Amino acid sequence: MARQLMKGNEAVAEAAVRAGCRFFAGYPITPQSEVLEYLSKRMGEVGGTFLQSESELAGISMIYGAAACGFRAFTSSSGPGYSLMQEGISYIASAELPCLLLDVQRYGSGLGDIFIGQSDYWQCVKNGGHGDYRSIVYAPNSVQEIADLAVLGFEKAEEYRNPVTLLSDASISQMMEPVELPEMREHDPDQFDWALKGKGTGESKRHTSVMYYMSDYDTYIQSKYREIEGKEQRWESFQTEDAELVLVAYGISSRICAEAVALSRARGRRVGLIRPISLYPFPVKAFEPLPCVKAYLTVEMSKLAQMAEDVALASGMKHPIYTKTGGTALYDSAEVCGEIEAVLSGEAKEAF
Amino acid sequence: MADMICAGFGGQGVLTMGLILAKIAMDEGKNVTWIPSYGSEMRGGTANCSVKITDGMVASPFIKHADIVIAMNQPSLDKFMPMLRPGGTLMVNTTIVKDAVRRDDIEVYGVDATEIAQQEQNARGANIVMLGALASAGKLLTHDVIEKGIEAFFASKGKHNPKNAACYERGFACCARLG
Amino acid sequence: MLKTIPKACFIDNKYCPGCGHGIANRLVAEVLEEMGRDGDALAAIAVGCASLMPDTFGIDCVQAQHGRAAAVAVGMKRCRPDKLVFTYQGDGDALAIGFSETMYAAVRHENITVIFVNNGNFGMTGGQMAPTTLEGQRTTTSPRGRDVRTTGDPMNIMELLKPLDPAYLARGSMTSNAEILKTKKYIRTAFEAQERGVGYSFVEILSPCPTNWGLSAMDAVARIRAEVVPVYPLGEFVKKEGL
């Protein structure tokens, strides 16, 4: 299939359709509204349902109903709207139903700003909802990758019967890049024995928290997420083999850091980069083979350095962790190089 | 290869202009990004997009230092000319923009984009005139490559406007070095 | 009511003695079975006393979040339009926290059926004031009686839904065998409206809550007759042609 130039928001929407998604419910909010706009047209062409819900509360609830029927269901939002979905996500996770969620992050709390930010890390990765659950979280750093991860997201959601969240931001979702879209595939909602379709002459099914009918729920839920943590870590490492300073960045920040690493290498600095692709589970395995590391520098578009805490945990706090933060105006590689120099020269102050 | 900003009033087709160039570059096998100003920044009548074209990887789609700035109106010139790198290229729509030559470390080219589009009875074709001028300045892509790219872009949308070709050729012919 | 227990009521319910939910559950089960649709019905069950239903009611269902049953039902119905999809909700759920979802399902003419049990308070949480609580009625959060100057008037959902062009609106009670049979007929008509694709149908059932009202089962029924029905009159309020 030929490369096309597409916005991240449109590519993820089309990829979801091609993965067999036939149900979308959502509510407009910048910078994810193109997902709705695209699917309002596209779902009709493939015989699917597009529903502009009265709120994100209703939208995630519609996803809950569609997912319970075995359909590949998808919703998207940004910061404040994603906050409103948390109760529903907790229900879906507790009922062990698969669905695909997209949070196109913006910057700041409250109304915040529609510009570039990565300040929903805690909400998405640590779960904004109540109770004991996790959502598998993927952080695409290109238009191609957000399309690819939409397909993978549905597969993993069904494999583990758990929500999967794509954590994007205004740059990945608003920009156009060449993308090769996945092949069109069919999804059969009746393939699952848990899918609601009426009890027929058999036993009735109910979707509610599995803890209600599981004798050893505590052990079960622990083992479920331990399995995900063991098997589903995804990341990329660049030039970390001999790196003394290892940068850690996801999404759009990781692209800038890759360039900064190349520029700093050209100056003879021994720096490398770990790019988490899965944020839950956090790729702790990426931190094991770092023989030369003396410090970490996390680079993220949040003022409170949200991911830095996970880097501290993953690295076992054996080395100092420095943070480069931002929001609204995206730093460029020169600024990141400046931070690298500040760390190497001892001018920077560590966060952990 | 180039970091470029296309800017102007809403309705002057600056986003489309950037998109056409990005598509051409993609079809030439380059890595490209295109990102518009959006949201509340879109309100108030001005629009712009940033286009990056490279053989390597694009890190950030945003531009701090541009190689090419296309200014279709005065506010765009005021905002984006300072971002040009020394040796960069400024393309201006001289129907609207008057005092374009303010720096001596950049090349400035002008074309009466709005006027020519009106003469060709293609009121929304000022962006195509400007693409002709860009080809003439010879800073990014050749005449024939851009010409084919414009045709392919509109064909892919199921549109064909024969007046675009005239606008393009006149933009190519009427482009003038100002400074 | 049928002499034989419908298959969906496969085990005794868990509601308080004298509670109306048991009868409401039974009526829904009888109607679905009589229509031959209990095998392909899907329910979105509300939070509150309604949430006890999935344990004793054998119909495919989702336990919805508080107030969101209508939206969950919409997700199911849009995916499986050939199924009979209904919500089962109380007054706190459908009219307080879920008012938006209730109204918007009606606004969009969603082809679902809402079974709405009005017992005038939040039963599960201990009898707090609900949108349906009567003027002057004492609850744990209106200890001096509901003061409509600060809480607004009791919510008559029939009147609010009527302008939205629903297919069917009816309010029944369970104060006598005759009323129970009438309520059953309303439920049947509501499901038939959905089956024929006529649109949104909604049945309100005035139901006793002896536990939180502090009354015996019989006194609770008498109170509905004497105090509740005058505020919430019974009958069919919208019935589209052909139903």
Side-chain angles (χ1 to χ4, degrees), chain B residues 18-33:
Chain B
L19 193 50
I20 290 171
L21 293 169
K23 282 203 169 178
I24 293 170
M26 176 183 75
D27 291 339
E28 298 271 298
K30 308 290 184 191
N31 283 320
V32 300
T33 60

Side-chain angles (χ1 to χ4, degrees), chain A residues 26-49:
Chain A
Y27 187 87
I29 182 170
T30 307
Q32 64 84 46
S33 296
E34 291 88 354
V35 178
L36 272 78
E37 290 166 358
Y38 187 90
L39 290 173
S40 67
K41 176 166 176 284
R42 187 73 172 113
M43 276 301 187
E45 294 171 354
V46 295
T49 298

Side-chain angles (χ1 to χ4, degrees), chain C residues 165-236:
Chain C
D165 193 30
Y168 185 70
L169 289 182
R171 182 187 287 127
S173 77
M174 41 183 70
T175 52
S176 67
N177 285 345
E179 291 298 337
I180 289 171
L181 288 174
K182 220 184 272 178
T183 298
K184 179 176 171 184
K185 202 179 83 197
Y186 297 158
I187 294 170
R188 170 101 188 202
T189 310
F191 277 118
E192 282 174 355
Q194 183 185 161
E195 196 170 49
R196 295 186 208 168
V198 186
Y200 183 82
S201 54
F202 188 107
V203 177
E204 175 173 352
I205 306 171
L206 303 182
S207 174
C209 182
T211 301
N212 287 307
W213 293 356
L215 297 173
S216 71
M218 292 315 290
D219 287 349
V221 168
R223 176 182 177 264
I224 291 178
R225 252 189 237 116
E227 298 176 23
V228 183
V229 172
V231 179
Y232 299 117
L234 306 177
E236 292 176 313

Side-chain angles (χ1 to χ4, degrees), chain B residues 2-18:
Chain B
D3 294 349
M4 178 168 51
I5 293 168
C6 305
F9 292 126
Q12 284 184 313
V14 294
L15 301 186
T16 302
M17 181 164 40

Side-chain angles (χ1 to χ4, degrees), chain A residues 17-227:
Chain A
V17 167
R18 288 172 182 238
C21 172
R22 292 295 177 271
F23 188 88
F24 178 92
Y27 187 87
I29 182 170
T30 307
Q32 64 84 46
S33 296
E34 291 88 354
V35 178
L36 272 78
E37 290 166 358
Y38 187 90
L39 290 173
S40 67
K41 176 166 176 284
R42 187 73 172 113
M43 276 301 187
E45 294 171 354
V46 295
T49 298
F50 166 84
L51 224 160
Q52 184 168 329
S53 58
E54 59 269 33
S55 68
E56 289 87 350
L57 299 173
I60 190 68
S61 308
M62 292 167 184
I63 296 303
Y64 186 16
C69 291
F71 282 64
R72 286 195 160 178
F74 174 38
T75 187
S76 62
S77 193
S78 294
Y82 197 75
S83 299
L84 284 174
M85 293 186 186
Q86 298 309 313
E87 183 202 31
I89 297 169
S90 175
Y91 269 72
I92 294 169
S94 80
E96 298 206 296
L97 293 171
C99 68
L100 185 68
L101 312 165
L102 166 65
D103 179 9
V104 181
Q105 297 176 92
R106 23 203 271 179
Y107 177 71
S109 48
L111 179 59
D113 193 293
I114 59 172
F115 285 101
I116 318 300
Q118 295 182 308
S119 48
D120 285 355
Y121 183 93
W122 280 330
Q123 172 168 246
C124 282
V125 177
K126 304 299 177 187
N127 306 308
H130 57 287
D132 284 333
Y133 75 97
R134 307 301 301 257
S135 178
I136 296 170
V137 180
Y138 293 134
N141 80 344
S142 67
V143 173
Q144 182 66 58
E145 195 171 43
I146 200 170
D148 294 343
L149 289 174
V151 179
L152 181 76
F154 276 120
E155 290 167 358
K156 291 297 171 189
E158 283 159 11
E159 183 179 342
Y160 293 101
R161 292 184 58 180
N162 202 75
V164 171
T165 306
L166 302 178
L167 189 57
S168 180
D169 67 71
S171 58
I172 301 294
S173 284
Q174 286 293 320
M175 75 174 162
M176 282 190 167
E177 276 190 312
V179 55
E180 198 169 325
L181 290 164
E183 292 297 317
M184 198 79 171
R185 69 180 82 175
E186 295 292 319
H187 170 74
D188 174 17
D190 293 337
Q191 68 185 289
F192 307 114
D193 56 8
W194 49 261
L196 297 191
K197 44 183 177 278
K199 65 175 176 172
T201 52
E203 290 272 302
S204 63
K205 295 183 279 288
R206 59 181 170 163
H207 285 301
T208 182
S209 294
V210 294
M211 62 180 288
Y212 294 139
Y213 47 82
M214 194 164 278
S215 55
D216 193 4
Y217 172 75
D218 293 354
T219 307
Y220 168 74
I221 206 70
Q222 282 171 354
S223 64
K224 169 174 174 164
Y225 289 116
R226 274 187 194 142
E227 183 185 352

Side-chain angles (χ1 to χ4, degrees), chain C residues 43-55:
Chain C
I45 308 294
V47 164
C49 293
S51 68
L52 296 173
M53 184 174 178
D55 290 341

